[in-house]
Amino acid sequence: MPARTGAQFLQGLRDRPRELWLEGERVADPVDHPAFRNVLRSLAALYDLQRDPALRDEMTYASPTTGERVGLSFLMPHTHDDLVRVRTMMKRWADFSGGFMGRTPDYLNRSLMGYASAAAYCAENDPRFGEHIRRYYDYVREHDLCLTHTLINPQANRSVGPSQQANPYLAARIAEENSRGIVLRGARMLATLPAADEIMVFPSTLLRAGPDDAPYAYAVALPTDTRGLRFLCRESFDYGKSHFDHPLGSRFEEMDAVVIFDDVQVPWDRVFLLRDVEKCNRAFAATGAVAHMAHQVVTKNVAKTEFLLGVASLVVDAIAIEPFQHIHEKMAEIIINLETMRAFLRTSEVDAQVNRWGVMQPAWPPLDAARNVYTRMYPRMVEILQQLGASGLMAIPTERDFAGAQGETIRTYYQAARADAVSRVKLFRLAWDIAVSAFGSRQVLYERYFFGDPVRMAGAMFNAYDRRPYMERVRAFLERAEREAPELEAAPGE
Ligand SMILES: Cc1cc2nc3c(=O)[nH]c(=O)nc-3n(C[C@H](O)[C@H](O)[C@H](O)COP(=O)(O)OP(=O)(O)OC[C@H]3O[C@@H](n4cnc5c(N)ncnc54)[C@H](O)[C@@H]3O)c2cc1C
C-alpha cells in the first residue's frame, strides 16, 4: 500500500490495542487518551505530509516491489543525490516540530533500512536471518508502519553485565527456543514513543557484551500488541494545557517506557540475529545502520538549532537586549552551533561512500563528531535561553489569566519593548517550554543520552579514530627539527 495518511495511522493504532500502562492503569485507546492523543495527532500530521500532492516527489518514491509511492525515509541510497533527497525529506518532518520530536518515524526507518541493506551480515549468523530482515523491511515500508525500539538493559547494577545481575531474567533473556521461534523474558529500557505499531528489540550501539551474555544477544522485532509485551510509561508531561500555555508539551510529548517481556513468543521470521555476541556487539556499526540513523539525527539537530536561534532572537528583540555585548556572544554561540551542525551534515553527504553492502553510506567521522558534541551544545543553548529570558521566563501568565479579572493589569505590565503583552507571553511560554518545563528538561536529558552515553561515545571515538597518520607526522617533524637545528656558534669571548 502507498504511504499512509494520518487517519490510517490512527486507525491502525485503534485496531490493535497494545498494553500501555500509565499511573497504575491500562490505557484503553492511546488515540483518545490525554497522555497520547496530542503527539499522535502530530504524528498523523507528518503522515499526511507524505500524501500532500504538492510534496509527492519530496516525501515519497516508487516502491521497488509494488511501484506504489512509499515514504522516502525508507529509500536505500545508492548515490550522493539520494542522500540529499532523503535529508530534504527528513528536514521537512523535523521542521514540523522544530526538532522537538526525536521519534519522527524516519529515525528508525533509516535504522531498519541500514540493517536490511546489510542482510548478508545477518545471514552470516544464520542464512535464514538475512531473508528475515529483508522481508521485515519490505513489510514495514509497504505498510508504512511506525517503529519504536529498545536497546538497553535495566539500570540495576551497571558494574556487571546482564548475566551477572541479581536475577538472570532482569534483562530480557532468551528463555526458550522452540519450533515457533524464541521466547523472551525480562525487561528492557527505554522505548520512546511506546504507542508505535512495532518495536525493534536490538543490541546496543555501544554496550559490549561478553561471552556469558549470549542469552541476551539477539535482534528481533515485534508488533507492539504482541501477547505478553507490556509498556510501563512514565508520568506524562502533556498536562492537557492549551497550545498557548504549553506550546511544545501540548503537541510533541512522545512518552518513554520500560518494556516488559512476559514470556513473549517471537516468531522465527522476526529473528535477525541470535546468540552471536560478537555480531551483536558490532551490528550497528558493521551494517551502517548507525551512520544512516545519525544522518537523520544531525538533520534533526539542524532543525532544532535553527528553531532555538529563532526563539532566542525573538526574545532578544522583544525586550531590547541587543545593545549588550555578552548577548552578542551568546547569540553567536548558537549561530556557531548551527553552522557546525550544517557543516557536519554536508560533509557526511559529500564524503559518503558506497559501503561493502553496496549502499551509499554517509561518512561516519563527521556524524560521530556531531553526535558527541551536540550532547554538550544542546544543554548549553538551553542555558543561554535561560540567561536571555531571566525572570521573564517566570512572568508567564496562562491563557486563563488573560481572560480573568487580572487580564487588563496583565496587558499593562507584561508588555515588552517590541511586543504587546499577549505576544510577549506567548513567546516567553515557548522559551519556558524549551528551557524550564518538565517537557524541556526531558529534552535536555534526551539530547544528552538518547543516542548513547556520551562518556562511552567518546571512548568509542578514541578507540576507533585512526590517529596514527598524525602521530607519524609529528614524529617526522621532531626528527626533522633535530636534523635542521643550526650549529650553535660560540659566544664572543668564550
Ligand atoms: C529521554 C530518553 C529517551 C531514550 N529513548 C530510548 C529509546 O527509544 N530506545 C532505547 O533503546 N534507549 C533509549 N534511551 C536510553 C539511552 O540509550 C541510554 O540513556 C544511554 O544508552 C545511556 O544508558 P543508561 O541511561 O542506561 O545510563 P547508564 O549506563 O546507567 O549510565 C549511568 C551513569 O553511569 C556511567 N556509566 C555506566 N556504565 C559505565 C561504564 N561502563 N563506563 C563509564 N561510565 C559508565 C554513565 O556514564 C552515566 O554517567 C533513552 C534515554 C533517554 C534519557
Side-chain angles (χ1 to χ4, degrees):
M1 78 187 241
R4 282 191 295 180
T5 61
Q8 286 170 323
F9 162 66
L10 295 176
Q11 191 55 48
L13 296 182
R14 283 208 166 100
D15 291 345
R16 299 173 65 176
R18 66 231 57 224
E19 269 204 59
L20 297 169
W21 288 83
L22 181 73
E23 301 204 28
E25 288 179 6
R26 183 168 174 183
V27 174
D29 177 4
V31 177
D32 288 326
H33 192 283
F36 297 93
R37 69 171 162 234
N38 290 322
V39 72
L40 292 178
R41 270 153 193 78
S42 293
L43 273 162
L46 294 179
Y47 279 104
D48 279 339
L49 278 180
Q50 296 190 128
R51 295 286 288 265
D52 180 341
L55 300 177
R56 178 181 180 267
D57 291 337
E58 184 183 315
M59 305 302 288
T60 63
Y61 71 113
S63 157
T65 52
T66 63
E68 304 238 49
R69 301 299 298 191
V70 292
L72 202 86
S73 60
F74 291 104
L75 184 76
M76 218 169 257
H78 293 288
T79 64
H80 289 91
D81 282 350
D82 284 345
L83 288 180
V84 174
R85 244 182 112 192
V86 171
R87 185 243 301 154
T88 306
M89 178 268 152
M90 299 191 298
K91 180 69 170 27
R92 185 173 289 276
W93 266 6
D95 280 338
F96 175 83
S97 68
F100 284 95
M101 285 178 78
R103 293 310 148 88
T104 49
D106 47 344
Y107 175 64
L108 287 172
N109 293 350
R110 295 321 281 156
S111 171
L112 179 57
M113 180 286 297
Y115 270 96
S117 72
Y121 184 81
C122 301
E124 284 163 16
N125 183 184
D126 181 318
R128 293 172 299 168
F129 297 165
E131 193 51 27
H132 292 173
I133 190 77
R134 243 192 309 266
R135 282 214 203 119
Y136 183 62
Y137 162 66
D138 285 348
Y139 171 76
V140 173
R141 184 191 64 224
E142 295 305 318
H143 293 83
D144 203 11
L145 297 176
C146 177
L147 304 173
T148 179
H149 75 158
T150 178
L151 314 179
I152 303 291
N153 294 322
Q155 192 188 46
N157 181 351
R158 281 291 187 250
S159 59
V160 292
S163 55
Q164 293 163 281
Q165 301 289 323
N167 173 348
Y169 288 99
L170 196 69
R173 174 189 168 115
I174 302 164
E176 190 189 322
E177 221 172 293
N178 55 35
S179 59
R180 287 177 294 151
I182 63 170
V183 175
L184 294 181
R185 185 185 308 156
R188 279 281 187 104
M189 56 194 291
L190 180 75
T192 298
L193 200 70
D197 298 303
E198 295 264 328
I199 183 165
M200 293 168 77
V201 190
F202 270 49
S204 163
T205 53
L206 282 171
L207 299 181
R208 293 286 163 264
D212 293 344
D213 298 327
Y216 305 90
Y218 50 81
V220 307
L222 291 160
T224 45
D225 64 339
T226 300
R227 230 174 99 198
L229 198 54
R230 297 201 298 274
F231 295 87
L232 307 188
C233 301
R234 62 160 165 76
E235 163 191 359
S236 171
F237 302 145
D238 180 348
Y239 297 111
K241 296 293 185 87
S242 67
H243 291 340
F244 181 96
D245 287 349
H246 291 191
L248 300 175
S250 65
R251 291 176 166 104
F252 308 129
E253 152 62 323
E254 295 180 303
M255 181 57 76
D256 308 286
V258 170
V259 189
I260 308 296
F261 298 82
D262 195 356
D263 283 350
V264 172
Q265 176 76 53
V266 184
W268 279 119
D269 65 351
R270 293 300 191 88
V271 178
F272 315 124
L273 290 170
L274 190 64
R275 295 185 193 277
D276 190 331
V277 172
E278 252 316 291
K279 274 211 138 20
C280 282
N281 280 344
R282 290 186 292 114
F284 271 94
T287 58
V290 74
H292 294 293
M293 291 168 89
H295 189 222
Q296 189 276 350
V297 166
V298 182
T299 304
K300 179 269 296 167
N301 292 354
V302 169
K304 203 165 188 171
T305 312
E306 286 174 348
F307 195 83
L308 282 177
L309 181 59
V311 173
S313 300
L314 288 171
V315 167
V316 168
D317 187 57
I319 56 174
I321 51 175
E322 71 279 350
F324 310 120
Q325 212 170 19
H326 78 98
I327 301 294
H328 306 167
E329 193 184 10
K330 290 181 170 75
M331 294 301 291
E333 194 174 334
I334 302 179
I335 295 167
I336 291 164
N337 290 347
L338 173 57
E339 290 302 325
T340 306
M341 282 299 127
R342 281 192 184 139
F344 282 140
L345 186 57
R346 284 296 289 144
T347 308
S348 79
E349 291 166 2
V350 173
D351 289 353
Q353 288 185 345
V354 174
N355 66 16
R356 65 178 155 131
W357 316 113
V359 162
M360 183 61 76
Q361 182 178 312
W364 175 240
L367 295 176
D368 195 16
R371 73 165 181 159
N372 269 273
V373 76
Y374 207 69
T375 63
R376 293 191 290 278
M377 278 181 179
Y378 186 76
R380 171 66 186 137
M381 289 189 287
V382 166
E383 186 185 28
I384 288 174
L385 214 45
Q386 291 177 351
Q387 290 166 327
L388 300 180
S391 67
L393 295 170
M394 292 292 103
I396 47 168
T398 62
E399 211 170 12
R400 285 182 65 194
D401 286 317
F402 274 101
Q406 298 304 313
E408 265 324 295
T409 308
I410 292 170
R411 274 175 230 280
T412 304
Y413 292 109
Y414 287 68
Q415 63 182 283
R418 300 191 192 108
D420 61 31
V422 176
S423 314
R424 175 223 167 95
V425 171
K426 208 170 173 187
L427 169 65
F428 273 68
R429 290 203 72 92
L430 175 58
W432 164 86
D433 220 2
I434 295 171
V436 185
S437 71
F439 177 90
S441 303
R442 185 259 176 202
Q443 289 282 326
V444 172
L445 193 70
Y446 181 83
E447 293 299 350
R448 280 191 206 279
Y449 279 111
F450 84 97
F451 215 40
D453 171 20
V455 171
R456 279 166 280 174
M457 289 196 306
M461 181 184 260
F462 173 77
N463 288 317
Y465 201 89
D466 186 7
R467 292 168 286 120
R468 282 169 308 181
Y470 314 114
M471 293 161 77
E472 282 313 312
R473 193 182 302 167
V474 173
R475 276 197 195 104
F477 171 79
L478 289 172
E479 280 169 25
R480 188 183 79 193
E482 269 166 32
R483 275 201 313 274
E484 290 174 355
E487 295 290 323
L488 289 178
E489 284 181 18
E494 275 185 33

